[in-house]
Amino acid sequence: MSRASTPVIDPVELTRDLIRIPSVTPADEGAMGVLERHLTALGFHCRRLAFEGPGGEGVHARIENLYARRGTASPNLCFAGHTDVVPTGPSEQWSSQPFTAEVKDGVLYGRGAVDMKGGIAAWVAAVSQVIAEGEPEGSLSFLITGDEEGPALHGTKRVVETLAAEGEVIDACVVGEPSSSQHLGDMIKVGRRGSLNTWITVTGKQGHVAYPERAANPAPVIARLMSRLNDHVLDDGYEGFPPSNLEITTIDIGNPATNIIPAEAKARLNIRFNPSHTGDGLIDWLNREAGAIQGETGLQITLDHLCSGEAFLTEPGVFVAAVQDAVEAVAGRRPEASTTGGTSDARFIRALCPVLELGLVGQTMHQIDERVPTAELETLTAVYRRVIETVFERL
Ligand SMILES: [Zn+2]
């Protein structure tokens, strides 16, 4: 690939091209193909990784993913993102149609503008500029999924498993999620709390309230268990994270009668946890507590758990500092390294390498009139370019 033949890509036009494809999760509609064509022209070796299986609500899904790499030298700096978008909501409430990618007064409207077709386009544009300057001192790669906004079962998780099994080395990864809070570059995300949901069922025996000896009431048993779980202090926090928190989200018996002891009581809880815990460790604790109450009361207690992501933290170090320095040099502000927010695909990538999130201002993500000033796409491109250069200098 000679330098003269590689195109320099306009981030605004590429964002618009991507927005015009209605890739509402899990549909691809050709979004991955647009990226693949651009990356191939830039000298990337592109691999489509399609995975299928039960998706949201058990409906069979086939998900398009892409891993593209340019060069074999190390370090290998990866950009991760997703081409799928959330549904538009009522399109008549939009100022312009969500998939026409209209620019009005310097602002680009459309579903995916900030989350995160704009971020993908900016990194592609930055890469095209870096390559136009000369051969980079390392490899560049893209890990793009079409399954981030949905159940995320056949996307980044499976691509990461495939790459790990093949021994592919990625040295650092930037996820292009809209991490900025108020102004471009004011925040990067360097970790996330983990999340565990637990469903609890206490089984008793129905009977007349006047004859409690003939029944077994699950209501006081679930009350005792929930109270004990709620009173337990999980930890005092972890470097950069608030204390882990257990929240009881519902307690249900739904007994309409005044003279019946109910047969069953259900409850549900969510734990947002910092890196002082693992999902399995918390599940063991919950099972032990339930087992103890079951022993005390004789009523059967069953628990079902779903850990949707482990907590992680990318420790301060060369990579995080390089990104912070690059952002500060271009955007004029040093980003706060934050661990706030929900989960992202960074939770899967952490198994491969240090990972952080850096992208546009997230204010309008998932909303009606999702939008981005075109000037911000240009600035993000300059930020990303500087990130690539700085990481290649220091890693
Ligand atoms: Zn996103």
Side-chain angles (χ1 to χ4, degrees), residues 82 84 114-116 148-149 176-178 344 365-366:
H82 60 87
D84 59 328
V114 295
D115 187 11
M116 56 169 284
E148 199 273 345
E149 300 289 10
E177 288 290 340
S344 85
M365 61 196 283
H366 295 207

Side-chain angles (χ1 to χ4, degrees), residues 28-261:
D28 174 61
E29 303 291 339
M32 211 64 82
V34 169
L35 264 187
E36 191 174 1
R37 276 196 296 283
H38 282 289
L39 293 177
T40 302
L42 287 169
F44 281 78
H45 173 243
C46 295
R47 282 174 67 194
R48 288 287 271 271
L49 296 156
F51 296 110
E52 50 194 309
E57 282 148 18
V59 178
H60 185 84
R62 184 176 194 277
I63 303 292
E64 291 288 342
N65 304 282
L66 175 71
Y67 181 68
R69 178 166 176 163
R70 187 184 190 282
T72 52
S74 85
N76 176 12
L77 173 61
C78 184
F79 175 86
H82 60 87
T83 48
D84 59 328
V85 296
V86 294
T88 62
S91 59
E92 67 276 10
Q93 289 181 20
W94 284 68
S95 302
S96 67
Q97 286 304 298
F99 299 117
T100 53
E102 225 179 308
V103 177
K104 289 195 282 194
D105 299 325
V107 178
L108 170 57
Y109 289 75
R111 175 57 81 227
V114 295
D115 187 11
M116 56 169 284
K117 289 174 170 175
I120 293 174
W123 192 278
V124 174
V127 163
S128 76
Q129 292 177 10
V130 168
I131 293 170
E133 284 295 306
E135 224 19 70
E137 306 268 313
S139 302
L140 290 160
S141 55
F142 282 81
L143 195 173
I144 306 292
T145 180
D147 185 26
E148 199 273 345
E149 300 289 10
L153 295 169
H154 309 299
T156 301
K157 183 169 180 279
R158 295 189 62 175
V159 178
V160 163
E161 285 164 3
T162 301
L163 295 176
E166 292 172 359
E168 175 76 358
V169 175
I170 297 176
D171 295 278
C173 180
V174 173
V175 181
E177 288 290 340
S179 67
S180 299
S181 170
Q182 305 287 328
H183 304 284
L184 183 67
D186 62 1
M187 188 178 282
I188 58 174
K189 302 282 174 75
V190 294
R192 296 287 179 131
R193 289 187 290 175
S195 178
L196 172 70
N197 284 305
T198 297
W199 291 260
I200 299 166
T201 304
V202 180
T203 307
K205 185 176 177 223
Q206 187 176 310
H208 196 297
V209 290
Y211 303 94
E213 67 281 2
R214 297 180 192 163
N217 193 344
V221 177
I222 207 157
R224 193 193 300 189
L225 175 61
M226 300 319 283
S227 166
R228 197 176 292 184
L229 296 177
N230 193 62
D231 288 348
H232 180 75
V233 176
L234 289 162
D235 56 70
D236 307 321
Y238 184 94
E239 181 191 343
F241 287 84
S244 302
N245 180 56
L246 180 152
E247 210 57 46
I248 297 169
T249 48
T250 188
I251 299 178
D252 302 306
I253 294 174
N255 175 11
T258 55
N259 58 354
I260 287 178
I261 291 170

